[in-house]
Structure formats: C-alpha cells, structure tokens
Amino acid sequence: MAVQRRALWLTLAVTGTTFVVVGLAALAVFVYRQQLDDADQYSSVVGAAAAALTLAGTVIFWLFRRIPVKHVAGSASNNSESTSAEPVLCRTELPPTHFVGRQHELDQLEGWFAEGDAAPPLLVLGEAGVGKSGLLAYWSDRLHRRLAVNVLGFNLGGFGQPGSRKNVSDAFGEWLAHLRPGKPIPQDPTARRVRLLHMLRDRRCLLIFDNVNDYTELRAVLPAIPKTCSVVISSRRELRGLRAVEGARTVHVGRLGEDATRLLDAVMGGRLAGNPEIAKKLSAYCAGLPLALRVVAETARDRRLDEVLAELTNKAGALTAMSRLGDELSDIRVVLSWSYDALPSDAARQAFRLLGVFPAKGSTASLHAMAALLGLDVASTRDVLDVVRSYHLLEWAYDPSVERHLVDGVRDNVDQTSALALRIGRHDLLHSFAAELAAGSTFAEEIRDALTRVSELYHNEVNEVFDWQNRDNLMVDLDMRDAWRTADPIGVQVTRSAAGPFQWFERERTNFVALVIQAAALTPPLPITTRLACSAFYFLEAARSFEEWDRVEMAASPHAQARDGDRLDLARWLRNRGRRHLVTLLEHSERLQPSDGGRTMPTEAAAKARRYLEHSLRLYRQESTGAGQPDRQRRAVAGVATTMRELADLCRLEAEFGTDPKGPAEAVAAYKAARAAFGDYTVNISTESQENWIASFELAFGVAYLLVGVDEPAALTDAGHLINRSIAYAETLDDGRSRSSRLKAFGWRRHGDLQQAHGNHEDAAGSYATSATAFDEEVSDPLGCARSLAYQGRALGLLQGHEDAAARVFARAIRLFQDNGAGDEAAIAADWARTVNPPH
C-alpha cells in the first residue's frame, strides 16, 4: 500500500513539473518573440525551448521506468525483482473436469477470501479421496481468472509415500521459480524464505499449502507471511492446534450425497440417465467419495454397467475393483493406506484394524462396545478413537434419543454418558480396508482376543434384554445376568438406554449377526459361539427374521455338534432348531384356510421339529440328573420344561391340522406334563417372576382345551379360564404399555374362537375386533390385523342384519392382505365375504 501511495505522489509531481516546464517554455517563446525582431535570434530561442522540453521528457520517461507497474487485483508495487506484469498461477493440480455440487463449501471459501487482510488461515479438512485438492484447484482457478489474484499452491505430500514428503522451504523454492523465472533460487532455507516473503509484501496472493500432516514448520512461518496473502491449508488431519492457537477457520469437505450419482453420470457421459437403480448402487459402493466415483467411472468405460456392478459386489470386493488403473494416486487401497500409515501410535493403528472386525459393515456401535473390543476402559477408548477420528478414519455421533433413558446420576458422569450415547462407525470402503489389514496370521491373536471380548459383551446384553422383555424367563441365564450386572453396571445402562428390548435388538441386530458369523469362522471357533448364536432366537422370531435366524444358528452348527462340545450348548441349539421348524408350522396355522376345510400340514417341518426337540429333551434330562454345577443343573431343568412345552405345542398344531383323531387329548396331556416339569423348575423360584412364561403357556394350553371342546363341551370351561388369565396378564399396563402386546393380540383372537364355539357370534366379533386393533396399533403386524379382521367379518356374517358391517370389515382385511404380499389369503377372505353377501 505504501508503494502505491509513493507511486501516486511521484506521478503527480512529474506531471506538475511537466506542465511547469512546458508553461515556462511557452512563456519564454512569447516574450522573446515580442522583443526580438531578428528571425535568427527567434529561431535560436525556439530551439532552446525545444531542447528543454526534450530533456524534460527524457527525465519523465526515466522516472516512469523506475516505477514498476504490477497488475495484481489493481495494485502496484515497487518490487524491483518482478519480471512480469501478469498474475501468477502455480497449481497443485489441474481443476477437475465435471465438477459437481460443493456449493456450500464454495460459498464458505468465497466469504472467507472476501474478508481480505482480516481473514485468519483457513483449514480445508476431509478424509482421503473426498476431493479437498480438487475443490481448491477449482475454486482458486476461478478466483485467479475472475479477480486476477496470484495463486501459489504446493503439495507438501504429508500423506503419501515417505519419499514424496516435502517441506515449506520446497514450496518457497517452487514459488520463487514462478515469480522469478530463469533466476537462481537461494539454497539456504532462511534466505529463500526472506526473498519470497519480501516479494509477496505488496501482492494480493492466495497461498495453498496442500496435503499437510506435520504443521510444525508451517506454524513457524505463518506469522511472517504478509497480510496481503490469504493462506489455505488442506489436510486429512483435524489440525486442532492451528485452530486453538492461530485461530484458523475450518471448511469441512464431506462425502457427496445426492450429487454422487450426478458426478458418476457426468464423468460417464450420461450413460446412467436411464439406469437410476444401477447409478444408486454404484454410488453406494463408492461411499460418496469423488475419487472412488471417478475411478469407477473410468473402469466402466466401454463396459456393461451390470458387469461393473457385479465386480464391485464379488468376493474380491470394491477395493480391488477400484485399484486396477495402475496409478497409486487413483488406487483407493493405496490412498487409504497413507492415512493409516500416518496414524501416530500403535494403539491408534490397532484400533483402526479392529474397525474391520466390529461394528458390522454399515452399522455403528456404542463406545462401551468399542471399549470391550479394544480391551480398554471407556475413557482410554474414547481417547484412542478420537486420534483415529482426527485423521478422518472413523465417524462418531451422539444419539440424542438415548439421554431420555439415562438413570439418575449418569448424566453427570462424562464417561458413562459417552459410553451410553456415543455411536462409532465408518463407511464401507474404510470397513473393507480395515478388514483387509486385520485378515491373515499377523494379527490373528489380536483379532481373536477382541472378538472374544465383544462377543461375551453381546451375549450378556442379549440375555439382559431378553430378561427385560420376559423377566426371569426359563431361557434367561439368571446366574450370568446377575454376575454381569455386578461386574459391568455401565454395560447394563448401555443396554437399557434403548427405548425398549425390541428397539435395542433392532439397533444391534446387524452387529449381532456379524459377530456370530465371525466367531464361528475362527479356527477353532470361539467357545461362546453356540450360546451367542442361540441367544437371540426370541427377537429374530418376533421380527420374522427367519433368514437371519437360520444363518446364525447354522453358522454355529459345527461348533454345537463338535464331539468335544458342551452338552448344554448342543441341547440349546437342538431346541432352537426344533423351535425354528415349529414356527414354520405356527406361521402356516395362522394363515387363513379355505372354507372347504382343505388344511394341509407341512409334514417335513413337523418331522424335523419333533426330531430336534426330542433329541434336545434327552440331553437336557441327562444334564439335569447329573452331579454337575448348580447353575448348569438349573439351566438343564429349565431346558426340560421349555422343550416339553415346545413338544406340547407341536402336538396341538398336529391336532389343529387334524392329522390324528387323538391329537387334542394328547396335546392336553403334553401340556400337563410340561406344567409338571415347570413345577420342578420353580421349586426354588417364585412363580410370580415367571408370569410371562405362564401366561404364554396358558394361552397355548387353553387352545388345546378348545380343540378338545369340539367333542367335549365341558372342556370349553377350562379353555375359557386359561385364555382369560392369559389376556388379563397381557393387558396389565407396565410403564403405560401392555406387558405383552403380541400375547394380548393372539389372546383376544383365541377368545373370539372360544365365543364362536359357544355360539356367541356377536361377542366373538367384538373379541376379533379387539385383536385386530392390538395387532395394528400395538404390535404393528398388518397381516395379524388382517387375519383377525377376516375372522371378525365371518362372525358378523353369522348375525342377522350385519351384512354391510361384515362387508366393510372384509374389504379392509382384503386390502391389508394385498398390500402386504398375501394374495392367496386375500382370495380366501374374498371367498368368505361372498358367503356373507352372495353376488346377485
């Protein structure tokens, strides 16, 4: 600015002098012309004036040559070393073609630069491959062309091969070469710095230090950089020290969202315009990283899109598909490895490797679970993971819904609150890269120990939520529950921080399934594999996640059936397998059946259920009569009672399908035997703690009596007592909700069956309506609701004058069946409706 003022005053002075000289010359000519008559004398005076003007012009020209004119955002300078009037553009890389989105980041950059001298250094931060350098190249190029700003950029190579790393002095040398082309560059770093900063004193410049890791040297230089220069620093690290001490601002560059498919389509020349689903899938595999998107677009050149998608999803994985261009700068695996290699400690690198093991791909986990994975306390785990996060190798966020469920005193404890509310995750490409690092024999012991710890934690948590849903149930491992509550109170709070048992399982289901698969895949499998696999059957059944149920338990099959395996574990696995086939029968029995009575039982499922359950019962009985440990005997006796209940359910279902005339009576006898076994179990346990199990048992027992009542009406009285007691328990409010919404819904449907058996069609219709409401509003089971509505419609159809009401109920049931993929049941309901209102 001082140079500009000096140039202005000098220009005014020279101009004024010129006018004075010219004026004096003109005056002299005039005077002499008046006084001299001699023409020769007159010519001499004019010549002298012309010589004076020539001399003045020469002086003026010399003075202007001494003032260098510099066109940098309209400014001038007296820097004698400048050799060019044009603004300098020294890029770190070319601006990317097909630049898409990033308007928010561009607005932040523009706003910061507009502050001029007052703007602090700016940090542009983001993970590997997210497009930080590309964003800066695009923006600085636009800035250079629009405002004629000097742009000096340099890649310090902080994340890259060790030999590619540069220092600030290297940057200054390259910038001097651009500013002073053809002139020698000082070799001494101090002289180089002094020379460059001297040249930048009066230039409006944008200085870009790209790809920074260690900022110690840069921090020392920042105070000496002239105020006319705006400084941008990009990094994969958070560089928190520069924010704290130097007051640096931050622009975070995140992964692309909806713009990811736009970028893919643009780079691929519009090939995705007619394939939105494939575009969406390709973008998902790229995790929204521009580098990955561009690499995939290049690999897709002249190839079928479904072929490219298949390559991303095959066993080799997306990383391999994105690492075939033969260039390390476009090799996603190499680019990610530079971030991993830069982590500052073994603990941080180990934590990142273990992120390839847990949480599951696409999922998150609590800080408490991560502490189990790492084998550290919660505070230390947070510290280590924060280092990894500062290199943008993981993400975390607080779950605001958790705080509502914290117990008194926990909110004031930072470690406990973090353990409860903090969720840790990473995108799929980082998961795949971490999993590759963890694979192989190098870290085998480390991985096995980590999986053991986190699998034991999840086994305890599933046991806790099962007890939360079914207090002191026979299938709850009470000894394990009580020991864990004492040893890990924070873990209990983490589990109970969910809105409810099913909400916890829904949040953790993906992690649970992945843990079982990994535990079973180890050689040898973890000792806890079978117990872990069998622990979540209740939630998988309730969620109708039958494929996952089969997957986890079949993964544990070799371990469960090993010759030297635990007999109780095998008995539990066999019982669960029998239950799984029993559920197939239960699902089939719940479906609407044709009016012609053509009920068919899945005989293969029935045979497998019986074989598994009877084998399980033999093993439980062997263990219950042995001289084993008390907790094992308790589990064995509970297993006997539970398995006998399952066998009684099997007898009842066979009776419902009418495969054996003696079936109803045999089912009642089987339930009586199961109740006796349950009595053996509760000798030392309060039956009040078993209310849930008893209520469920009594509903099933009541249905067996209901079947007997077809031929023996007196049995309907016993059925009524049992069904009503079950409903009374299910409808009892607990925290403002029914204790067991599903039991309530099924109970009222069976109550409708009981009223139908008594011929009370109006009461039956009311019971079915209550069941339908419970399925709809409390269980969120549209098919259960549709079935109860169909039964309600049939009951209404048996009442004189209720034909229109029946038609409305049937219409709603049919619509629900159709909307939920049950067209065959919709057809049966329509057939029932026609019997009520036959077509004219």
Side-chain angles (χ1 to χ4, degrees):
M1 297 300 175
V3 172
Q4 288 179 310
R5 286 195 296 271
R6 288 196 301 271
L8 177 62
W9 284 113
L10 186 58
T11 302
L12 291 174
V14 169
T15 303
T17 302
T18 302
F19 278 110
V20 170
V21 171
V22 171
L24 289 174
L27 179 61
V29 169
F30 176 78
V31 170
Y32 274 95
R33 184 174 185 181
Q34 294 294 325
Q35 296 179 357
L36 299 176
D37 297 325
D38 188 291
D40 291 334
Q41 289 181 326
Y42 178 79
S43 299
S44 298
V45 172
V46 172
L53 288 174
T54 302
L55 178 62
T58 302
V59 171
I60 292 170
F61 178 78
W62 180 82
L63 287 172
F64 270 96
R65 286 295 301 270
R66 298 295 295 170
I67 304 173
V69 180
K70 177 171 58 122
H71 301 284
V72 182
S75 68
S77 173
N78 68 344
N79 191 333
S80 61
E81 298 207 56
S82 176
T83 59
S84 172
E86 293 300 319
V88 175
L89 178 61
C90 177
R91 298 187 178 108
T92 59
E93 63 177 57
L94 290 173
T97 57
H98 308 293
F99 188 86
V100 170
R102 301 295 192 202
Q103 190 57 53
H104 177 65
E105 291 88 344
L106 289 170
D107 290 342
Q108 288 181 289
L109 291 169
E110 291 285 352
W112 167 80
F113 188 77
E115 295 181 25
D117 296 356
L122 184 69
L123 307 180
V124 176
L125 308 176
E127 64 184 291
V130 82
K132 302 178 296 297
S133 300
L135 170 67
L136 288 175
Y138 175 83
W139 170 66
S140 62
D141 193 73
R142 190 173 69 170
L143 197 69
H144 171 77
R145 286 183 283 104
R146 191 175 80 247
L147 298 179
V149 173
N150 285 289
V151 176
L152 300 174
F154 189 79
N155 185 343
L156 288 170
F159 295 87
Q161 297 294 352
S164 66
R165 292 169 190 169
K166 307 292 183 182
N167 54 43
V168 174
S169 182
D170 295 324
F172 287 173
E174 181 168 318
W175 293 346
L176 281 171
H178 277 77
L179 293 169
R180 306 166 69 247
K183 293 188 177 182
I185 306 299
Q187 296 303 307
D188 179 64
T190 302
R192 185 181 294 185
R193 185 187 70 219
V194 170
R195 178 68 58 84
L196 176 75
L197 297 181
H198 178 74
M199 294 187 68
L200 297 181
R201 281 183 309 169
D202 303 303
R203 296 173 182 265
R204 186 70 177 105
C205 295
L206 175 66
L207 306 183
I208 300 174
F209 296 93
D210 193 20
N211 196 11
V212 173
N213 185 4
D214 183 356
Y215 56 86
T216 305
E217 185 186 12
L218 181 58
R219 165 178 268 167
V221 170
L222 284 176
I225 293 178
K227 287 291 186 181
T228 55
C229 299
S230 299
V231 178
V232 176
I233 303 165
S234 77
S235 180
R236 302 182 187 187
R237 283 182 61 190
E238 283 293 309
L239 305 183
R240 296 167 182 168
L242 290 177
R243 290 206 299 263
V245 178
E246 280 74 17
R249 299 240 191 100
T250 301
V251 171
H252 280 286
V253 183
R255 290 178 281 132
L256 293 176
E258 295 179 357
D259 287 327
T261 54
R262 288 180 53 212
L263 177 58
L264 258 183
D265 190 48
V267 177
M268 295 174 69
R271 288 180 62 197
L272 297 176
N275 299 278
E277 289 302 315
I278 289 183
K280 188 175 180 180
K281 291 178 180 178
L282 289 174
S283 300
Y285 279 106
C286 295
L289 292 176
L291 177 60
L293 292 162
R294 292 178 183 277
V295 170
V296 166
E298 179 59 32
T299 59
R301 189 183 299 274
D302 302 324
R303 296 176 61 192
R304 289 169 51 90
L305 295 178
D306 55 354
E307 178 187 345
V308 176
L309 187 60
E311 187 176 53
L312 290 171
T313 56
N314 67 19
K315 188 175 181 180
L319 283 178
T320 299
M322 296 178 190
S323 304
R324 292 177 175 167
L325 297 185
D327 170 20
E328 67 177 18
L329 292 179
S330 61
D331 187 323
I332 300 297
R333 187 181 281 111
V334 171
V335 170
L336 294 178
S337 73
W338 292 337
S339 294
Y340 169 75
D341 293 339
L343 288 170
S345 67
D346 290 340
R349 284 186 287 274
Q350 180 195 45
F352 179 74
R353 287 193 301 273
L354 291 178
L355 284 169
V357 175
F358 178 84
K361 192 172 185 177
S363 187
T364 62
S366 70
L367 181 62
H368 183 261
M370 296 303 299
L373 183 76
L374 301 183
L376 301 172
D377 59 60
V378 168
S380 300
T381 300
R382 182 188 174 97
D383 290 343
V384 171
L385 293 179
D386 193 34
V387 172
V388 180
R389 183 175 75 112
S390 71
Y391 282 74
H392 291 90
L393 287 172
L394 66 79
E395 300 165 350
W396 72 24
Y398 281 94
D399 182 354
S401 66
V402 168
E403 190 170 355
R404 297 197 304 267
H405 307 286
L406 301 186
V407 298
D408 293 340
V410 172
R411 291 183 181 85
D412 299 327
N413 187 311
V414 175
D415 289 345
Q416 287 188 354
T417 303
S418 296
L420 290 166
L422 197 60
R423 303 289 296 182
I424 288 88
R426 65 278 176 267
H427 61 70
D428 289 352
L429 288 178
L430 281 175
H431 172 270
S432 298
F433 177 64
E436 287 185 356
L437 293 173
S441 58
T442 305
F443 304 109
E445 185 175 352
E446 169 188 294
I447 300 305
R448 185 177 185 85
D449 291 344
L451 280 174
T452 298
R453 291 189 297 267
V454 77
S455 295
E456 289 175 350
L457 172 67
Y458 267 69
H459 187 213
N460 280 309
E461 291 190 338
V462 174
N463 195 56
E464 178 69 26
V465 292
F466 185 55
D467 182 70
W468 187 6
Q469 178 67 24
N470 307 289
R471 188 165 60 93
D472 292 342
N473 186 279
L474 275 69
M475 301 306 291
V476 173
D477 191 327
L478 300 177
D479 297 294
M480 182 179 75
R481 179 202 65 185
D482 295 339
W484 186 58
R485 286 178 176 176
T486 301
D488 189 6
I490 293 181
V492 175
Q493 288 303 316
V494 169
T495 306
R496 296 266 181 167
S497 68
F502 286 98
Q503 287 79 1
W504 178 90
F505 189 75
E506 189 59 34
R507 185 179 70 191
E508 301 293 346
R509 179 167 63 179
T510 305
N511 288 334
F512 172 83
V513 172
L515 278 174
V516 174
I517 301 302
Q518 291 184 93
L522 292 176
T523 305
L526 296 183
I528 202 174
T529 298
T530 301
R531 276 173 286 154
L532 182 66
C534 294
S535 63
F537 78 95
Y538 178 86
F539 298 100
L540 293 169
E541 176 184 338
R544 286 182 165 81
S545 300
F546 301 130
E547 183 178 346
E548 286 182 325
W549 188 0
D550 290 337
R551 187 181 176 202
V552 296
E553 290 187 357
M554 293 313 295
S557 174
H559 180 260
Q561 301 184 74
R563 188 181 299 275
D564 58 347
D566 186 291
R567 185 161 58 185
L568 273 180
D569 285 352
L570 176 57
R572 176 69 177 271
W573 184 84
L574 290 166
R575 180 264 170 193
N576 275 25
R577 289 289 81 202
R579 174 72 187 176
R580 171 66 183 92
H581 292 290
L582 185 64
V583 167
T584 299
L585 299 178
L586 287 167
E587 288 276 308
H588 196 76
S589 71
E590 285 181 28
R591 297 168 64 85
L592 298 190
Q593 302 297 329
S595 300
D596 59 9
R599 292 170 63 88
T600 58
M601 185 178 73
T603 55
E604 183 179 358
K608 287 183 177 180
R610 185 170 295 280
R611 184 171 69 252
Y612 280 124
L613 291 171
E614 288 179 346
H615 189 181
S616 174
L617 182 59
R618 288 195 299 272
L619 294 177
Y620 274 132
R621 279 176 170 162
Q622 290 171 11
E623 191 71 30
S624 67
T625 57
Q629 299 172 358
D631 66 309
R632 290 182 63 86
Q633 283 192 317
R634 186 201 63 76
R635 288 165 56 199
V637 173
V640 169
T642 301
T643 308
M644 290 185 69
R645 154 72 192 276
E646 307 287 4
L647 284 167
D649 287 340
L650 178 58
C651 287
R652 174 177 60 81
L653 288 168
E654 290 174 336
E656 284 192 53
F657 282 109
T659 58
D660 184 356
K662 299 180 181 179
E666 290 178 352
V668 169
Y671 279 116
K672 288 180 178 179
R675 185 165 60 183
F678 175 71
D680 293 338
Y681 171 74
T682 58
V683 168
N684 297 313
I685 297 177
S686 170
T687 55
E688 291 182 3
S689 67
Q690 298 295 323
E691 288 180 308
N692 184 277
W693 191 92
I694 292 171
S696 174
F697 175 84
E698 288 186 332
L699 178 60
F701 198 179
V703 175
Y705 269 118
L706 188 58
L707 294 173
V708 173
V710 174
D711 299 317
E712 300 178 22
L716 296 180
T717 302
D718 293 325
H721 290 319
L722 292 166
I723 292 172
N724 286 332
R725 283 206 299 266
S726 177
I727 292 174
Y729 166 82
E731 287 198 320
T732 303
L733 295 182
D734 187 1
D735 294 332
R737 297 179 300 175
S738 298
R739 281 186 181 177
S740 180
S741 304
R742 185 169 290 275
L743 184 62
K744 172 184 174 181
F746 278 112
W748 277 109
R749 185 189 292 173
R750 292 305 191 179
H751 190 271
D753 295 343
L754 178 65
Q755 297 305 314
Q756 285 283 71
H758 282 300
N760 300 328
H761 305 306
E762 187 170 359
D763 290 342
S767 297
Y768 290 133
T770 303
S771 171
T773 300
F775 273 119
D776 181 32
E777 297 180 0
E778 298 185 48
V779 186
S780 299
D781 182 350
L783 288 178
C785 175
R787 288 161 185 157
S788 292
L789 287 172
Y791 290 122
Q792 179 191 0
R794 193 162 63 170
L796 288 171
L798 296 173
L799 296 171
Q800 191 70 28
H802 288 72
E803 293 82 0
D804 290 343
R808 288 193 297 271
V809 170
F810 273 125
R812 184 183 170 200
I814 292 168
R815 186 168 60 253
L816 282 172
F817 281 129
Q818 292 172 337
D819 291 345
N820 290 276
D824 53 343
E825 291 189 82
I828 292 172
D831 183 54
W832 289 4
R834 282 191 290 271
T835 63
V836 174
N837 289 294
H840 298 291

